[in-house]
Amino acid sequence: MTTRSSLRMLTIAAVLVGLSGCALQSPSPVTDAEARDRFLTVIDETQQLVGGVWQVDDDPTPRGCTLPVWVAGERYPALRVSEDPRGEGHADRVQQAWEGNGLEVERSLVGDVVELKAESEFGEVYLFRVSEQAMTLQGESECRPA
C-alpha cells in the first residue's frame, strides 16, 4: 500500500469517527435493566430535589443509536414537565447534585430560562430547564446493544 493510499484511508476513518461524535461510546459494565434504572434514578432524584407537581411523559419506546464499530443500539428517553416552579435556586441545586454524581454540567441562559445540560461517562444525557413559569427535565439513557 502506498503512503498516499494509507493517508487517504486514515483520513476517511477520521472523518467517519468525527461524524459519529459521542454516539460511539461503549456501554457500561451493567445489565440493560441496571443501566436504564440508573438513568431513571437520576431523573427521579432530580424531580424530587426541586419538588413541585410534575407531568411524567417518559416514552417506553427505545430510540436507535450507534455503539462502537457501528453496532446498532437502543436508548430510552424521559420527559417530565412542571408548571409549578415554586422557590428559587433550583438550577443551583440540580447542578450541584449532578456534579456530585460525576456528571459534567454545562450551564447556559436562554432568555429567562436557565438550562443545564449534563452527560455521563457512558453517554447518558440530562437536560433541566427552569424559568418563572415552568420546569422541564428530560434525557436519554446510555446506548445499549439492540
Side-chain angles (χ1 to χ4, degrees):
M1 186 183 301
T2 68
T3 303
R4 178 176 264 162
S5 296
S6 297
L7 285 173
R8 187 176 341 176
M9 291 180 74
L10 285 172
T11 301
I12 291 170
V15 168
L16 289 173
V17 169
L19 289 175
S20 60
C22 64
L24 295 179
Q25 291 174 312
S26 297
S28 62
V30 298
T31 67
D32 292 348
E34 289 170 331
R36 187 169 181 197
D37 289 348
R38 179 184 61 220
F39 163 71
L40 289 175
T41 296
V42 173
I43 295 288
D44 291 341
E45 288 176 351
T46 302
Q47 179 182 327
Q48 292 170 1
L49 177 66
V50 297
V53 177
W54 290 82
Q55 177 180 329
V56 177
D57 291 322
D58 297 352
D59 189 348
T61 307
R63 296 178 180 172
C65 57
T66 305
L67 292 161
V69 194
W70 296 274
V71 172
E74 295 178 336
R75 63 185 342 154
Y76 288 87
L79 173 63
R80 318 274 172 101
V81 179
S82 175
E83 295 179 5
D84 186 22
R86 291 185 213 159
E88 294 182 17
H90 295 317
D92 293 335
R93 286 193 302 281
V94 170
Q95 183 170 356
Q96 184 177 21
W98 285 359
E99 289 174 344
N101 282 334
L103 300 173
E104 188 172 319
V105 180
E106 293 178 27
R107 185 181 187 128
S108 59
L109 190 60
V110 182
D112 66 341
V113 177
V114 176
E115 177 180 278
L116 301 177
K117 182 179 181 183
E119 186 171 346
S120 76
E121 65 182 300
F122 300 110
E124 298 156 319
V125 176
Y126 302 95
L127 188 63
F128 176 73
R129 293 183 181 116
V130 61
S131 70
E132 291 183 12
Q133 294 79 33
M135 297 183 286
T136 60
L137 175 60
Q138 62 193 81
E140 290 185 325
S141 67
E142 71 173 279
C143 185
R144 304 290 296 187

